Amino acid sequence: MFAKVKQLIEEIEAASPKTKDELEQFRIQYLGSKNVIKPLFGEIKNVPNEQKKEYGQFVNQAKETAERKFAELQEALEAAAGDADADLLDLTRPGEPLELGSRHPIATTLNRIVSIFQRMGFTVAEGPDIEDDWHNFTAMNTPEDHPARDMQDTFYLQNSTEMLLRTHTSPVQARVMTSQQPPIRIIAPGRVYRNETISARSHAQFHQVEGLYVDEGVSFADMKQTLMYFAQEMFGTPKIRLRPSYFPFTEPSAEMDVWIGMDNEKNYRLSKGTGWLEILGCGMVDPKVLENCGIDPEKYSGFAFGMGIERQAMRLYDIHDIRLFFENDVRFLKQFSAVI
Ligand code: PHE
């Protein structure tokens, strides 16, 4: 009996199925429901009592050998199949084309503006979209009864008279001035919100870039020179006009127009027949604002400005409807794939 089992184990060890079918034959023969090992267990009744235990273990060994061998053979066959696939790899095949996306026109315009001011030594500062009343209004010298504080113009957070969506990027001025002393030279790009009816020319959300320069002896002439340089770089002309204006946080205040001319219909329309395009609001930082933020107005002075991005992007790319910026229609965005 023992010799029979021994022969079987040798047979199993020597087996070498080459294909899947042959492996399946192996499985049926040694591990299937009618396998050849099973009857050997039955033979135990013909084995002398004192050898029964040893015989049982030996047959078990045959069964384990078959199981191990099967696992090994299966693995070897699968590996071989993998190698066969590898032979099909064609390294000369062209790769999948990588489709490039495009930058949003607001981002490109913003990047241009930021890089112009960076060349003049301004660094980028940021503040939160959800602001508190103090940074957005109080610190910026905007009186309690100012119409901008009205619910009609400002989005307040639900059940709050304190937290709001910032209506301009000017609160970043307060955030910077309360956390550092002059010299300060920053620009702050960001999204702002106003409770306005959405149309082709106005939106409830848009983007601004704020600028702030505070140091000893900063003058109105410094501001004008800075803005002239900006106009030259952005619009290709230093021809600007400062019109007297009013903002609670600057004194004196002005609005700046850039000369775009009227030599084509587009510029005529954009400038409403004047040749001038309004770009930004600016002025000397009101001493009260410096004081509110812990900066000595006797020692320091500064200028600030704030400009909308959308209008500049509209002029730059000849876009006539502000809503297009926020719809993310791929057919619109794809047109800017060549713009960096
Ligand atoms: N915050 C003003 C606005 O939103 C712009 C501005 C900024 C004006 C800084 C003067 C100084 O219209």
Side-chain angles (χ1 to χ4, degrees):
M1 284 324 305
F2 280 83
K4 217 170 158 186
V5 180
K6 184 166 179 272
Q7 195 196 341
L8 190 63
I9 291 179
E10 282 166 3
E11 203 183 293
I12 293 169
E13 288 287 13
S16 61
K18 296 273 177 312
T19 64
K20 266 189 146 168
D21 284 347
E22 285 174 22
L23 181 69
E24 180 60 6
Q25 283 307 316
F26 176 93
R27 191 190 66 78
I28 292 168
Q29 192 175 359
Y30 299 109
L31 299 167
S33 57
K34 291 188 182 130
N35 68 62
V36 296
I37 304 173
K38 259 187 194 168
L40 292 176
F41 281 109
E43 297 282 355
I44 200 156
K45 58 181 185 293
N46 305 324
V47 174
N49 272 345
E50 66 277 12
Q51 290 182 3
K52 274 194 195 331
K53 187 179 169 200
E54 201 187 335
Y55 176 79
Q57 283 170 349
F58 202 30
V59 181
N60 252 330
Q61 191 190 327
K63 190 180 160 206
E64 278 161 21
T65 305
E67 282 165 358
R68 175 180 51 78
K69 186 81 183 176
F70 178 73
E72 279 172 17
L73 288 167
Q74 197 174 33
E75 204 172 300
L77 258 177
E78 274 167 12
D83 284 351
D85 279 352
D87 287 344
L88 293 175
L89 242 189
D90 178 1
L91 293 175
T92 64
R93 266 176 64 185
E96 296 288 328
L98 258 187
E99 244 197 86
L100 279 187
S102 53
R103 280 196 206 280
H104 196 285
I106 294 295
T108 4
T109 310
L110 197 85
N111 288 345
R112 265 180 77 165
I113 298 171
V114 167
S115 89
I116 293 170
F117 284 103
Q118 277 177 334
R119 290 204 289 278
M120 285 190 272
F122 286 75
T123 54
V124 173
E126 278 180 334
D129 286 19
I130 297 174
E131 257 304 355
D132 53 57
D133 179 90
W134 189 82
H135 287 93
N136 198 80
F137 291 129
T138 311
M140 301 315 290
N141 199 33
T142 307
E144 290 284 348
D145 55 359
H146 194 281
R149 288 199 175 208
D150 201 315
M151 290 288 220
Q152 306 284 297
D153 296 299
T154 304
F155 287 118
Y156 285 89
L157 263 60
Q158 222 169 11
N159 305 324
S160 177
T161 50
E162 184 55 31
M163 301 303 286
L164 45 86
L165 295 179
R166 64 178 175 191
T167 56
H168 51 181
T169 40
S170 299
V172 185
Q173 287 191 35
R175 290 200 172 264
V176 172
M177 286 193 282
T178 50
S179 63
Q180 82 184 73
Q181 284 291 310
I184 291 170
R185 216 182 314 173
I186 58 105
I187 45 166
R191 203 186 281 258
V192 301
Y193 308 83
R194 284 180 202 174
N195 197 353
E196 276 177 30
T197 314
I198 296 168
S199 73
R201 296 202 57 81
S202 75
H203 210 286
Q205 54 168 334
F206 53 100
H207 297 79
Q208 285 188 335
V209 175
E210 191 83 6
L212 175 70
Y213 193 151
V214 184
D215 203 349
E216 286 181 48
V218 176
S219 71
F220 198 91
D222 294 327
M223 180 179 82
K224 191 175 170 191
Q225 183 59 43
T226 304
L227 296 177
M228 251 165 78
Y229 176 79
F230 169 71
Q232 169 71 57
E233 294 295 295
M234 191 72 188
F235 299 97
T237 170
K239 193 168 171 183
I240 60 167
R241 177 169 88 168
L242 290 170
R243 281 179 291 103
S245 185
Y246 171 77
F247 299 101
F249 30 90
T250 45
E251 179 58 36
S253 304
E255 267 167 299
M256 182 181 100
D257 303 336
V258 175
W259 178 254
I260 57 167
M262 298 182 281
D263 27 314
N264 58 51
E265 198 199 324
K266 184 180 136 200
N267 287 348
Y268 186 90
R269 214 170 352 94
L270 259 167
S271 65
K272 300 195 184 95
T274 65
W276 294 102
L277 186 68
E278 189 194 318
I279 296 297
L280 56 81
C282 59
M284 301 306 291
V285 180
D286 195 304
K288 191 85 180 88
V289 174
L290 295 176
E291 210 178 291
N292 289 345
C293 298
I295 289 175
D296 181 1
E298 298 294 331
K299 189 170 177 204
Y300 297 109
S301 58
F303 65 80
F305 56 86
M307 61 181 103
I309 313 296
E310 275 75 3
R311 191 179 306 183
Q312 296 187 52
M314 285 167 91
R315 174 178 142 72
L316 221 50
Y317 302 118
D318 207 3
I319 296 163
H320 299 285
D321 192 327
I322 195 172
R323 289 170 292 197
L324 286 165
F325 291 129
F326 301 101
E327 282 164 359
N328 281 334
D329 186 328
V330 153
R331 291 165 301 179
F332 170 73
L333 297 173
K334 266 194 172 166
Q335 296 174 42
F336 300 95
S337 56
V339 181
I340 36 168

